[in-house]
Amino acid sequence: MNTVYVNGEYVPQSDARVSVYDRGFLMADGVYEVTSVLDGKLVDFDGHVKRLWRSLSELDMAAPVTEDELLEIHRRLVELNNIEEGGVYLQVTRGAAPERDFAFPNPDEVPSTLVLFTFAKNLVGSPAADKGIKVISIEDIRWGRRDIKTVQLLYPSMGKMLAKKAGADDAWMVEDGFVTEGTSNNAYIVKGNKIITRGLSNDILHGITRAAVLRFAQEAQMEVEERNFTIEEAQQADEAFITSATTFVQPVVAIDEAQIGDGVPGKVARRLREIYIEESRKAAI
Ligand code: PDD
């Protein structure tokens, strides 16, 4: 059985418990990170920890452990659970106050909750990467601080269900006519040699995979343009793709039933995926 980390202890998954008063459970008052694992090593750990510290500080939440401790916990879980390929899920919440109260509890009296678990997943040989995925567009009705990686995932979850119902794989969210991002990934289109993706702001999550992929694209002499784009522009693009820690670079072959390019994964997305996997393997710790 999988071993899970809960507040300083490594326990079997079935024994892992948090309080019903935990604010993560009552109020979605928590943040998370998902770090991928390749060859038993962590991909871009540094980037994920930096974003975690930022999420915590934006919400006035205390860091439960140090960066070194966090690395040690990640590595120990990967080893205990024999993860060669997959990921580590981490969640920090504002802890369990003695009663339900909208006001934040005093962090000196209520320690934050820290939970980590691992999952095994075929990341490199994913069938979706060979075939490409289909997305639908939906209105983005999430809150205004999407740059903070909170566990308020109900709307993204509903978006995923709407996509499934429509026979698609995922949804791209649209605000004021422009694509923000996918339910759990960043969104891109390609025109010629140019990669277009929305710029960073509070409107989207600052993807760790996004940062790496844009850097690799520039190093490979591809042009990168950070600007808004519409669904109509995306439908007429040569290619489209998404990025995240669990999908890497994944081609999008249809948007709202309009075929993108030839309806098969494009060469820019395929090349970026190869580079990303190769570089991530080399740099994983
Ligand atoms: N999701 N945008 C959203 C809304 C996300 O939830 C994610 C990640 C990303 C991509 O970020 P990164 O490249 O750092 O993984 C963008 C994770 C994988 C999840 O919720 O499982």
Side-chain angles (χ1 to χ4, degrees):
M1 189 187 289
N2 272 333
T3 299
V4 168
Y5 173 95
V6 187
N7 295 326
E9 291 189 65
Y10 294 85
V11 294
Q13 183 173 329
S14 56
D15 295 342
R17 303 256 184 283
V18 293
S19 165
V20 294
Y21 284 94
D22 195 282
R23 290 179 60 92
F25 178 64
L26 293 180
M27 298 186 170
D29 188 359
V31 299
Y32 76 109
E33 281 297 330
V34 180
T35 303
S36 59
V37 173
L38 279 179
D39 311 321
K41 292 186 198 156
L42 302 160
V43 174
D44 234 327
F45 177 78
D46 194 51
H48 287 284
V49 175
K50 284 208 173 73
R51 185 172 63 190
L52 174 65
W53 289 166
R54 182 176 177 277
S55 292
L56 290 170
S57 105
E58 290 297 304
L59 296 174
D60 289 325
M61 228 186 264
V65 292
T66 66
E67 178 163 350
D68 287 347
E69 285 165 337
L70 218 45
L71 177 59
E72 164 63 22
I73 300 166
H74 275 74
R75 283 181 162 159
R76 188 149 165 214
L77 272 187
V78 166
E79 199 182 316
L80 285 170
N81 294 327
N82 289 315
I83 305 296
E84 270 301 299
E85 200 169 310
V88 181
Y89 175 89
L90 166 158
Q91 181 168 331
V92 184
T93 77
R94 208 181 301 272
E99 57 186 39
R100 180 172 178 270
D101 186 352
F102 280 77
F104 295 169
N106 180 344
D108 296 332
E109 288 163 16
V110 176
S112 50
T113 299
L114 175 63
V115 169
L116 287 91
F117 54 80
T118 61
F119 55 93
K121 192 175 179 208
N122 202 355
L123 302 176
V124 175
S126 127
D130 292 336
K131 256 183 32 200
I133 61 162
K134 295 181 179 176
V135 303
I136 58 164
S137 61
I138 59 173
E139 196 61 30
D140 196 338
I141 60 165
R142 297 173 300 163
W143 76 326
R145 289 303 306 273
R146 303 161 193 156
D147 55 312
I148 308 173
K149 199 165 171 57
T150 73
V151 295
Q152 305 175 72
L153 298 175
L154 182 55
Y155 188 64
S157 186
M158 288 166 73
K160 194 88 179 171
M161 293 312 292
L162 287 170
K164 279 189 177 213
K165 242 181 241 165
D169 305 287
D170 200 10
W172 278 11
M173 294 179 278
V174 176
E175 186 171 58
D176 299 330
F178 296 105
V179 174
T180 51
E181 58 189 333
T183 58
S184 58
N185 45 68
N186 291 115
Y188 308 73
I189 57 173
V190 180
K191 286 180 150 183
N193 194 35
K194 195 190 287 173
I195 295 156
I196 300 159
T197 193
R198 191 180 178 106
L200 296 179
S201 69
N202 292 354
D203 299 339
I204 61 168
L205 186 73
H206 302 189
I208 303 305
T209 320
R210 176 190 184 278
V213 165
L214 293 187
R215 195 174 67 243
F216 298 145
Q218 271 156 343
E219 283 166 12
Q221 315 305 324
M222 297 175 191
E223 213 184 312
V224 172
E225 198 173 304
E226 294 182 64
R227 66 159 170 86
N228 287 357
F229 61 88
T230 63
I231 288 290
E232 292 68 35
E233 186 181 8
Q235 287 172 323
Q236 272 144 41
D238 298 325
E239 297 184 30
F241 64 91
I242 57 164
T243 66
S244 77
T246 48
T247 57
F248 298 163
V249 176
Q250 200 165 83
V252 170
V253 295
I255 304 175
D256 284 338
E257 299 200 346
Q259 175 181 303
I260 308 305
D262 303 327
V264 292
K267 63 175 192 311
V268 172
R270 279 188 285 130
R271 181 72 194 120
L272 277 176
R273 182 177 174 86
E274 272 170 23
I275 300 175
Y276 180 79
I277 292 172
E278 195 180 312
E279 295 298 322
S280 300
R281 279 219 148 103
K282 273 195 245 164
I285 59 164

